[in-house]
Amino acid sequence: MTPDPIDAPGTPPAAGQDLTAGGAVFARLARLGVEVVFVNSGTDFPPVIEGLAEADAHGAELPRTVVVAHEHAAVSMAHGYYFATGRAQAVMLHTNVGLSNGATGAINAATDRVPMLLMSGRTPTVEEGRFGARTVPIGWGQEMRDQPALVREACKWDYELRFPEQVPQLLDRAYAIAASTPRGPVYLALPREVLCEPCPSAELDRAPAMAAARVVAPRSLLATAADLLAGARRPLVIAQRGAGDQEGFDALARLADRWSIPVCQYWAVATAISAHHPMYVGQDPEPWISEADVVLVIDSLAPWSPDIHRLREDCRVIHLGPDPLEARFPVRNFRSDLSVTSEVGPGLVGLEQGLHDSSRAESATGRTEWRALVERHVADRRIRLDGLAATDPAQPMTKEWVAHTVGRALRGRAATVVSELGCPLDPLELTEHGSWRQEPHSGGLGWGLPCAMGIKLADPDRLVVATVGDGSYMFANPVACHQVAEANGIAVLVIVLNNAGYGAVRSSVLGLYPTGYAAKFDDMPLTGLAPSPDFAQVAAASRAHAETVADGRDLAGALERALRAVTVDRRQALLDVRIVD
Ligand SMILES: Cc1ncc(C[n+]2csc(CCOP(=O)(O)OP(=O)(O)O)c2C)c(N)n1
Ligand SMILES: [Mg+2]
């Protein structure tokens, strides 16, 4: 039975069609085009829950709400939903404690330039005498002097709602700022007393008042960049956050081939080029970076490691991206002779045009030799990858070998692989734009599984695979994730690459102290997660198709069954694959 919103106990009577501000927020989000709000509620939510029910009873158009029982997973699902749709997302959390659980997700979103409107309640300001005032001790315990500070460094804008009639204006502004170049999260605190007040509904229906600002570099600047590249003898492209969009991906493929420019995906978090492209040289910047005379860096936070890689003295560097100097980061001193602020996709399309128009493009010399070097390198890579295919499956499984086997199982399917310390990129041999997502360079683990779920929720017909380390899987709050997946029919395939520990931390110790005391341990301190839980049972608790694979000879069959579960039965599936470091 739907309660009469006007007579519901505790609800202040609304004037006319006014909506309780807690519900008005959702009505306005729908008007802004938000399809889903990822929510984890709390005792600050009565005006939100009541307001939603009231708005629904009034026939207001509302976004779908997805309840996610951990905030890191909620924010990471929004991250994935953005990947699939390209539209800014909305997340609503519980006061300071929910927000702090979501703060790692906000840091990840900022690093990946994911636009999202983060909201969380604010404990009531007043102790009595006003509707919505504090009623339980947490009203005092969750008080903060500066709650937005919890996520301010990750946000482009933050504010606290002061009056109910501000709801449409502030949401319009927050949403437009999040979606503006460079994109990123914004935060709005929602005090409980304000959410309890009525918001004039006429304002909620009007068209969004503010357009996002989208920056595309002017042709003249792209022409300068094109001239630099065209005049190079040994040009190089390094891309980390992908090629922007399908048009950018296609433009990069054409220009790299046409002008013989090798493309390196050093520590890539998204695919910029097909694994089978003749100029794709893999993830290692060497030997290209030490030979290059012009480097085009496409939207990369850390395009090489200054402690390892050295540019030539005369090398010129172009950075192209939404924020080519990455102003959020205090220390980031990569040389930039030409800084081109642009959304990446249209920037690459314009750059290709600039190359066509450049008077220097045809006169470039020395490229034949450069191209021949690339071709030899590509042929060597092919031999290494074919070597993986020839590896005896009875050997203990490695990440590379599992990735190669997964890649083969996915061939010919439109799939997105989300990897968080899971399958490495190159042995998967992915060829499409949007086929690869890796944890953001902020590395706030626990992102991979819910991000994959967000992609799948937005695009249910796409095959989405989360490959994650055992540590990363546990960081993801897997019980909460599997619950959300079952509740919302999110048929994602999870492949846990389980080495019973923190392999990346072990490698990091060995990198700094290769012959140190810690290196002598079989079981290095602070890096072990043995005994490993039975992850198949964790997933099976939410009725997933789940298997443990301890022998490489069983992997292909297990993959086939798991793929059938997600594509035909439309059930979530998990493979716990036991690997060595
Ligand atoms: C929230 C968070 N806590 C801790 C870390 C530090 N950290 C980086 S890699 C790593 C190990 C991850 O282990 P796993 O997912 O099993 O992958 P493996 O390295 O074993 O392949 C840890 C703990 C982090 N990046 N994020
Ligand atoms: Mg591990």
Side-chain angles (χ1 to χ4, degrees), residues 176 210 224 246 263 266 281 299 301 358 375 377 407 425 452 483 518:
M210 226 174 258
T224 308
Q246 187 66 54
V263 178
Y266 176 60
V281 293
D299 199 14
L301 176 60
S358 171
E375 280 169 358
H377 179 91
L425 172 61
Q483 190 280 329

Side-chain angles (χ1 to χ4, degrees), residues 104 399 420-421 443-445 469-472 475 499 501-505 581:
T104 301
K399 284 191 182 185
E420 185 175 52
L421 282 308
L445 297 185
D470 50 319
S472 298
F475 278 116
N499 54 10
Y502 291 160
V505 179
D581 261 344

Side-chain angles (χ1 to χ4, degrees), residues 66-415:
V66 173
V67 176
V68 189
H70 194 282
E71 293 80 0
H72 187 28
V75 179
S76 303
M77 281 188 75
H79 199 132
Y81 205 97
Y82 166 72
F83 280 161
T85 61
R87 291 192 295 278
Q89 298 304 306
V91 180
M92 191 182 278
L93 308 175
H94 170 57
T95 65
N96 60 342
V97 291
L99 184 63
S100 62
N101 270 355
T104 301
I107 293 168
N108 282 342
T111 311
D112 257 3
R113 301 195 207 297
V114 173
M116 65 172 70
L117 171 49
L118 283 172
M119 295 164 282
S120 73
R122 192 211 177 281
T123 198
T125 309
V126 298
E127 296 172 289
E128 58 186 321
R130 185 181 271 276
F131 190 74
R134 298 176 189 182
T135 47
V136 286
I138 61 161
W140 285 262
Q142 294 180 343
E143 170 85 280
M144 284 189 85
R145 284 187 290 277
D146 188 5
Q147 180 169 302
L150 287 170
V151 290
R152 185 166 291 133
E153 284 216 32
C155 286
K156 298 172 67 181
W157 172 96
D158 65 80
Y159 193 59
E160 178 180 304
L161 183 71
R162 303 281 161 84
F163 301 101
E165 64 273 21
Q166 286 181 297
V167 164
Q169 287 171 341
L170 284 179
L171 291 188
D172 287 17
R173 179 163 166 71
Y175 200 70
I177 290 174
S180 291
T181 307
R183 295 176 159 198
V186 295
Y187 172 70
L188 184 62
L190 304 170
R192 189 165 93 157
E193 302 96 314
V194 184
L195 289 185
C196 287
E197 291 184 34
C199 173
S201 60
E203 288 299 299
L204 295 170
D205 288 337
R206 63 171 170 72
M210 226 174 258
R214 189 161 173 269
V215 178
V216 175
R219 278 179 64 166
S220 56
L221 191 57
L222 291 167
T224 308
D227 269 349
L228 250 175
L229 267 182
R233 289 171 63 88
R234 297 177 162 205
L236 168 66
V237 167
I238 298 180
Q240 274 179 342
R241 294 195 188 94
D245 53 24
Q246 187 66 54
E247 287 73 30
F249 188 87
D250 296 342
L252 179 61
R254 285 189 303 265
L255 76 84
D257 193 22
R258 170 78 180 78
W259 286 285
S260 301
I261 309 178
V263 178
C264 169
Q265 300 194 104
Y266 176 60
W267 219 276
V269 297
T271 30
I273 196 155
S274 161
H276 295 153
H277 191 283
M279 298 307 287
Y280 177 50
V281 293
Q283 298 204 266
D284 186 354
E286 291 294 0
W288 320 102
I289 194 148
S290 48
E291 297 280 329
D293 54 357
V294 175
V295 179
L296 168 65
V297 174
I298 303 172
D299 199 14
S300 304
L301 176 60
W304 60 85
S305 174
D307 210 29
I308 302 170
H309 309 115
R310 284 274 175 275
L311 294 179
R312 273 168 44 166
E313 275 299 310
D314 62 346
C315 181
R316 310 288 297 277
V317 182
I318 308 162
H319 286 255
L320 181 151
D323 180 9
L325 300 185
E326 305 271 354
R328 270 191 63 229
F329 299 92
V331 175
R332 180 191 177 273
N333 297 320
F334 295 93
R335 181 188 179 113
S336 186
D337 300 282
L338 185 65
S339 306
V340 182
T341 304
S342 185
E343 288 296 338
V344 173
L348 287 173
V349 170
L351 188 71
E352 187 193 15
Q353 189 57 51
L355 277 161
H356 275 290
D357 296 344
S358 171
S359 56
R360 303 169 76 184
E362 296 308 328
S363 63
T365 53
R367 294 278 177 87
T368 332
E369 191 197 331
W370 191 230
R371 188 173 185 114
L373 269 178
V374 173
E375 280 169 358
R376 273 207 299 283
H377 179 91
V378 169
D380 287 350
R381 260 186 63 232
R382 184 71 264 156
I383 291 167
R384 278 202 305 280
L385 289 172
D386 290 346
L388 280 173
T391 306
D392 179 0
Q395 298 282 319
M397 288 183 276
T398 62
K399 284 191 182 185
E400 276 67 29
W401 186 81
V402 174
H404 170 77
T405 311
V406 170
R408 269 202 313 202
L410 298 182
R411 207 135 304 156
R413 301 171 187 258

Side-chain angles (χ1 to χ4, degrees), residues 499-522:
N499 54 10
Y502 291 160
V505 179
R506 280 197 284 271
S507 319
S508 183
V509 174
L510 295 176
L512 277 187
Y513 302 102
T515 56
Y517 293 98
K520 295 183 179 59
F521 277 81
D522 283 338

